[in-house]
Amino acid sequence: MTGVITKAIHILDLLVPQGSEKELSVTEISRELEMPVQSVHRILGSLSSHGFVSQNKKTKKYKLGLSIMKYGFLMWDSLMLRSVARPFMQELLDKTSETVYLATRENAEGVYIDSIDSPRILKISEPIGLRLPLYIGASNRVILAHLPKKTRDQLLGGVDWSKVPSLQPMTRESIEQDLELIREQGYSMTAGEATEGTTGIAAPIFSYENTVIGSLNCAGPTIRFTQANIEKYSYYTKKYAGLISGELGFRNASRINF
């Protein structure tokens, strides 16, 4: 299996454009990589079925497919998001003195991709790379709330609600109600779902394509999230999430309320 994967990577590397789009036939790839024609044909078939290469119907030659572009853009968006968000994360920290997280979506999960810890002795400090289902936690649920309805239904439809990895009981009905509230108020707030005694407030981040690509979140001990602080924290979280969205090219200001 390792050998096949290595050969597939060599083929993809060979098809990388150099100045202009590059198309090669099975025979050309075979000759260039000193690989049997049958092996090249078989691997190209597998790569094609997953969209990593595509075949020109007229010339029968192969080139890189859209899946390569998709993963490239996803990586670029992630790097761009972290770079753009960092100064606004620092400003949110300065306003709240609570730990600030940056999250993004990966399939059915939300993932922390950056954070700045609170300067306080009593604070929340979760690791970068922490993954949880999109319906658990403020940073994840605010992303879920702004996904297309069809996507939300797919993500929630297969959940066994008796086995969700949350400290709080959940049902699809309760989550759906909360998602509606999130869309109305422009932010999400959860308490004690992933970590006992903690509260998080998160706002969505949108891309230039008018799609949600992540969230900005401040979190800390529930005891500090008084009503006055909730109003303050939610205002600034929405504000800086909106500014990040603007830096990323998002222009639908009607979706950002602060």
Side-chain angles (χ1 to χ4, degrees):
M1 179 61 73
T2 302
V4 174
I5 293 173
T6 300
K7 290 177 181 178
I9 292 172
H10 288 327
I11 291 174
L12 293 174
D13 285 340
L14 184 62
L15 292 174
V16 172
Q18 297 180 359
S20 60
E21 192 171 64
K22 192 174 185 181
E23 289 187 352
L24 294 173
S25 68
V26 174
T27 303
E28 289 170 331
I29 295 172
S30 171
R31 183 170 59 248
E32 189 73 25
L33 297 178
E34 298 182 350
M35 195 183 300
V37 171
Q38 297 90 335
S39 296
V40 173
H41 196 275
R42 184 170 60 253
I43 293 171
L44 285 171
S46 295
L47 292 173
S48 179
S49 67
H50 293 287
F52 289 103
V53 299
S54 63
Q55 187 180 37
N56 186 315
K57 300 300 183 183
K58 293 182 178 180
T59 66
K60 304 300 182 182
K61 293 185 177 184
Y62 288 86
K63 63 180 180 180
L64 292 181
L66 293 178
S67 286
I68 291 290
M69 293 177 62
K70 179 183 73 174
Y71 289 112
F73 283 133
L74 286 173
M75 180 61 71
W76 173 255
D77 283 347
S78 179
L79 294 173
M80 189 70 173
L81 177 57
R82 290 182 64 184
S83 176
V84 169
R86 191 70 182 187
F88 297 108
M89 293 173 65
Q90 184 62 54
E91 291 193 43
L92 181 57
L93 176 72
D94 294 341
K95 295 293 186 182
T96 65
S97 294
E98 302 292 358
T99 298
V100 176
Y101 295 103
L102 182 68
T104 190
R105 175 196 172 199
E106 189 168 303
N107 298 320
E109 296 177 315
V111 185
Y112 284 150
I113 60 173
D114 202 0
S115 69
I116 306 178
D117 280 352
S118 166
R120 297 179 174 182
I121 295 176
L122 182 60
K123 61 186 176 184
I124 305 305
S125 185
E126 301 286 6
I128 300 300
L130 177 68
R131 296 168 177 269
L132 284 171
L134 283 173
Y135 50 83
I136 296 179
S139 62
N140 299 330
R141 199 174 298 157
V142 78
I143 296 174
L144 178 63
H146 292 88
L147 290 173
K149 184 179 186 304
K150 182 178 179 180
T151 304
R152 295 198 309 269
D153 289 342
Q154 290 174 343
L155 291 171
L156 296 175
V159 177
D160 183 346
W161 296 100
S162 65
K163 297 180 180 179
V164 295
S166 169
L167 300 179
Q168 302 288 338
M170 294 181 180
T171 63
R172 177 162 183 176
E173 291 72 22
S174 66
I175 295 297
E176 293 279 13
Q177 289 175 3
D178 195 37
L179 295 179
E180 185 175 349
L181 176 62
I182 292 167
R183 288 189 291 273
E184 290 177 0
Q185 63 188 13
Y187 71 92
S188 172
M189 185 176 77
T190 61
E193 290 188 359
T195 306
E196 188 174 358
T198 68
T199 294
I201 292 177
I205 297 172
F206 299 97
S207 73
Y208 67 94
E209 296 176 308
N210 196 32
T211 57
V212 63
I213 61 168
S215 66
L216 184 66
N217 176 49
C218 73
T222 298
I223 193 172
R224 290 205 292 261
F225 280 65
T226 61
Q227 187 56 44
N229 277 341
I230 289 172
E231 292 178 6
K232 174 183 175 182
Y233 294 174
S234 61
Y235 171 83
Y236 283 114
T237 302
K238 288 195 296 181
K239 175 181 178 178
Y240 292 120
L243 291 173
I244 294 170
S245 298
E247 288 291 317
L248 293 172
F250 179 68
R251 291 293 177 264
N252 189 352
S254 64
R255 293 186 65 171
I256 302 175
N257 302 304
F258 56 82

